[in-house]
Amino acid sequence: MTTDNSKTPPLLSIQNIETLYFDRIYALHGLSLSVREKEIFAVLGPNGAGKTTLLKTIAGLIKDQPKKGIIQFAGHRIHRLAPERVSSLGIVYVPEDRGLFRELTVRENLELGLWGRRDKGIKDDLEFCYQLFPILKARSTQQAETLSGGEQQMLAMARAMLRRPRLLMLDEPSLGLAPMIAKSVYDALLRISHAGTTILLVEQNARLALKIAGYGYIMEAGRIVLEGTSASLQANEDVKELYLGLGGETASPKGWRLYKKRRTW
Amino acid sequence: MQHFLQYTVSGLATGAIYALVALGLALIYRSTRILNFAAGDMATAGTFAAFTLICMQIPFGAAATAGVVVGAVIAMGFYFIILVPAQRRDANQLSQIILTLGLALILQGLVGHFGGTEPQAFPFPLSDAKLHKFGTVVISELGLGTLGISVVCCVLFYLLVQKTRIGLAMRATSENLPAAQTLGIPTRRVLAFSWGLAAGLGVVAGLFLAPAQTLDPFFMLEPFLKGFAAAILGGLNSLPGAIVGGLILGVAEGWAGGYISIAFKNTMAFLIIVAVLLIRPEGMLGEEFKERV
């Protein structure tokens, strides 16, 4: 969790990308960011800011996008590559809906995470996943759709880890989870990070995300409007007011209108 | 009772053919949400290929295998050469279904041109005239063979889908394509394999159906429509449903032909489609697809 974003070359570098829906609606508008190896990066923002689009664009899941700009990962230009190719380079994406195969069992879901692997580390990786989420071992013969929301998130993360990602991208991992479960999911993310995996996290729960991330980006309307170390973002008055709920001025519509006029971005 | 058993067994033999065709249709629909209108013609092309080889004195087993391979190659070729580029250009599902109709017409033309349009007798190792008696029930050698091959195909299909890595990838790809892609599963190759497998099942059905009637470029049209009805009856997205649907349709036809009138036999499929769509539109074992808007 280092916080200096300038010294080492980034693992993922995004420069001025533009992603459009239906060839005319800008979802990402000249967005740039970078993610350094073995750290946790958080992208925060309100609904509709383009956070999910950002992750999907990186993962290659939006056809023919980005229209403009460059995405570079570990020395490879990956923009507009097919999702299978992006995945094979070491980027694994866990979507907001967890992306599980609901009709398949927990074990089968995990087996699919091992697709294409024949190395000797499979057993150790499975053991690591079961250590992170012991409940998955107990549920191994259960269909994924019968798991609780928290267990599904754990399965999605475990399956992603079995691909040995260099970059793990998660979309709203705390969405719909009870605070206790969300905390355990975030504890697991910290352990994954300590084991050497780079994490790019998209969250609406800014408080939770900034607790584990070393560096954060604030996104609004398809652009990065603010970035900085977690500590600096947590100390920023606008972030406090809008994302950490520490102000209170924006609670009323009038307060929100006044606030929008004088905020710094 | 004697008649009842006889009609049921005869119906099961016919239903076994429908089940194989329905299984192929359901497999493609489940994986790609496409109704493959070329299924019957792919099977016809494969059966004609086998017929041509048999006429060249190639042993039946080798010719039949080659026929299955020809059917599978046509289906895989169609997927890679036509469907994938169409999907890249954002062709919607309806356009892709129309493409299968186009392929059906092309195959009909090709088979008619190279194989001839005159009905021809299909040489087959099992006889339709040689009868076996089991108690009060009589079944032809061919009928018995049809039942046997269907059971073998269904068991092999089950083992392939449930117990192998490619089967696991097929199930994953059909359920959640983007998730399969992000896990690095080669989804196009997996889908191509599904197309090949579906066409192969159709050719097996064609090989066992051709000796019971005559071989012409349209001989699979009726079984294709019946297989379609069977797939709807079982639930278009359910593989076990396709098998059950095929057998039920075959038996229902057997009973209708036996107890009501032979002329009523073909009406049965249509009546069943109407009844299913009215009572349970998703079919007996099917599930409604839920998609996020």
Side-chain angles (χ1 to χ4, degrees):
Chain A
M1 269 209 294
T2 37
T3 50
D4 187 346
N5 200 24
S6 58
K7 283 178 189 167
T8 51
L11 177 66
L12 174 77
S13 157
I14 297 177
Q15 292 158 38
N16 283 315
I17 57 166
E18 288 185 358
T19 294
L20 286 85
Y21 287 119
F22 311 112
D23 273 336
R24 58 199 151 88
I25 302 165
Y26 279 91
L28 301 180
H29 210 148
L31 181 143
S32 300
L33 61 77
S34 55
V35 171
R36 276 180 308 126
E37 198 145 25
K38 296 183 179 172
E39 292 184 31
I40 301 179
F41 283 72
V43 178
L44 313 171
N47 271 337
K51 306 187 297 293
T52 299
T53 302
L54 169 65
L55 294 193
K56 281 187 170 175
T57 304
I58 299 169
L61 286 168
I62 306 179
K63 220 179 97 193
D64 298 334
Q65 300 294 335
K67 266 279 178 283
K68 284 183 187 164
I70 295 167
I71 306 177
Q72 223 160 1
F73 177 74
H76 301 271
R77 288 193 169 202
I78 61 162
H79 47 278
R80 299 204 202 184
L81 283 187
E84 294 94 332
R85 185 90 186 89
V86 174
S87 171
S88 69
L89 288 170
I91 298 180
V92 180
Y93 168 54
V94 178
E96 189 183 314
D97 66 0
R98 334 284 194 213
L100 294 176
F101 304 109
R102 301 170 64 81
E103 290 175 15
L104 307 189
T105 64
V106 168
R107 187 184 294 147
E108 286 172 332
N109 267 282
L110 292 176
E111 264 178 52
L112 286 162
L114 293 166
W115 188 269
R117 279 187 63 181
R118 283 185 190 83
D119 55 276
K120 287 177 183 156
I122 289 175
K123 214 174 161 189
D124 291 343
D125 288 354
L126 265 173
E127 202 45 51
F128 176 70
C129 287
Y130 285 139
Q131 269 178 17
L132 272 181
F133 309 114
I135 190 73
L136 295 181
K137 203 167 195 172
R139 300 259 191 271
S140 63
T141 54
Q142 242 176 269
Q143 273 188 319
E145 66 184 346
T146 64
L147 301 181
S148 70
E151 289 165 354
Q152 288 190 6
Q153 183 61 48
M154 291 171 191
L155 175 57
M157 283 163 62
R159 191 183 65 182
M161 284 311 293
L162 291 178
R163 288 203 54 75
R164 283 208 172 169
R166 287 186 73 181
L167 174 65
L168 177 63
M169 301 196 298
L170 298 114
D171 194 351
E172 309 262 8
S174 72
L175 188 78
L177 303 184
M180 279 292 287
I181 307 293
K183 190 184 170 300
S184 65
V185 163
Y186 267 74
D187 287 345
L189 276 181
L190 261 184
R191 288 181 64 186
I192 289 170
S193 171
H194 289 154
T197 305
T198 311
I199 294 173
L200 178 59
L201 191 64
V202 149
E203 260 296 359
Q204 284 199 55
N205 189 337
R207 194 188 299 255
L208 210 49
L210 290 178
K211 213 177 256 178
I212 68 161
Y215 200 87
Y217 292 94
I218 308 283
M219 238 184 118
E220 273 183 24
R223 294 180 171 92
I224 300 293
V225 291
L226 186 69
E227 65 177 280
T229 62
S230 277
S232 70
L233 289 179
Q234 278 169 311
N236 183 292
E237 288 305 318
D238 292 320
V239 175
K240 269 190 199 171
E241 179 68 43
L242 281 165
Y243 295 105
L244 299 175
L246 299 176
E249 183 189 357
T250 51
S252 69
K254 191 180 172 190
W256 166 246
R257 278 198 302 276
L258 288 171
Y259 181 78
K260 260 174 90 176
K261 280 184 189 162
R262 78 180 159 73
R263 70 175 171 189
T264 48
W265 67 75
Chain B
M1 189 62 191
Q2 184 194 338
H3 286 308
F4 175 78
L5 279 177
Q6 182 60 55
Y7 297 148
T8 306
V9 171
S10 307
L12 280 176
T14 317
I17 298 274
Y18 301 159
L20 290 180
V21 177
L23 198 54
L25 286 168
L27 176 62
I28 294 304
Y29 184 75
R30 201 180 146 79
S31 314
T32 58
R33 314 287 181 265
I34 292 174
L35 291 172
N36 178 17
F37 280 100
D41 298 284
M42 288 172 178
T44 307
T47 311
F48 257 92
F51 175 70
T52 310
L53 291 174
I54 292 167
C55 292
M56 292 161 68
Q57 309 301 322
I58 306 283
F60 180 82
T65 310
V68 171
V69 171
V70 167
V73 167
I74 290 172
M76 291 161 97
F78 171 70
Y79 175 74
F80 275 126
I81 299 166
I82 311 284
L83 269 190
V84 169
Q87 286 164 354
R88 278 206 193 108
R89 286 169 181 76
D90 288 331
N92 60 24
Q93 263 161 309
L94 184 61
S95 318
Q96 294 178 52
I97 292 169
I98 299 296
L99 285 174
T100 69
L101 258 178
L103 175 71
L105 295 173
I106 291 170
L107 287 176
Q108 274 171 24
L110 288 175
V111 169
H113 180 74
F114 291 107
T117 50
E118 291 299 312
Q120 302 172 80
F122 187 77
F124 201 74
L126 301 176
S127 162
D128 200 17
K130 203 171 169 185
L131 301 176
H132 291 275
K133 207 169 174 192
F134 298 93
T136 55
V137 176
V138 177
I139 185 166
S140 71
E141 196 178 61
L142 179 62
L144 212 58
T146 307
L147 272 175
I149 196 74
S150 300
V151 171
V152 169
C153 282
C154 290
V155 170
L156 287 178
F157 184 81
Y158 171 81
L159 292 175
L160 178 82
V161 171
Q162 293 293 332
K163 305 286 178 196
T164 65
R165 270 173 70 77
I166 180 75
L168 184 60
M170 281 165 69
R171 283 185 287 150
T173 304
S174 68
E175 197 194 318
N176 191 338
L177 182 69
Q181 288 173 323
T182 53
L183 289 175
I185 295 169
T187 51
R188 287 215 170 109
R189 269 184 272 164
V190 171
L191 288 173
F193 182 78
S194 298
W195 275 87
L197 188 61
L201 286 169
V203 177
V204 172
L207 288 170
F208 279 78
L209 187 74
Q213 25 181 288
T214 49
L215 191 64
D216 68 67
F218 304 100
F219 91 105
M220 279 302 286
L221 181 62
E222 194 183 301
F224 162 69
L225 292 175
K226 302 282 179 65
F228 199 32
I232 290 176
L233 172 62
L236 251 176
N237 58 352
S238 164
L239 302 178
I243 298 169
V244 173
L247 295 178
I248 289 180
L249 182 62
V251 171
E253 274 191 10
W255 290 344
Y259 288 117
I260 307 172
S261 156
I262 197 80
F264 197 65
K265 211 173 147 184
N266 285 341
T267 320
M268 209 60 208
F270 178 69
L271 285 179
I272 284 181
I273 290 185
V274 172
V276 170
L277 291 179
L278 287 177
I279 299 165
R280 197 177 148 80
E282 65 271 29
M284 284 164 54
L285 304 178
E287 275 177 40
E288 228 177 312
F289 281 121
K290 294 179 190 77
E291 279 178 33
R292 193 176 153 178
V293 179

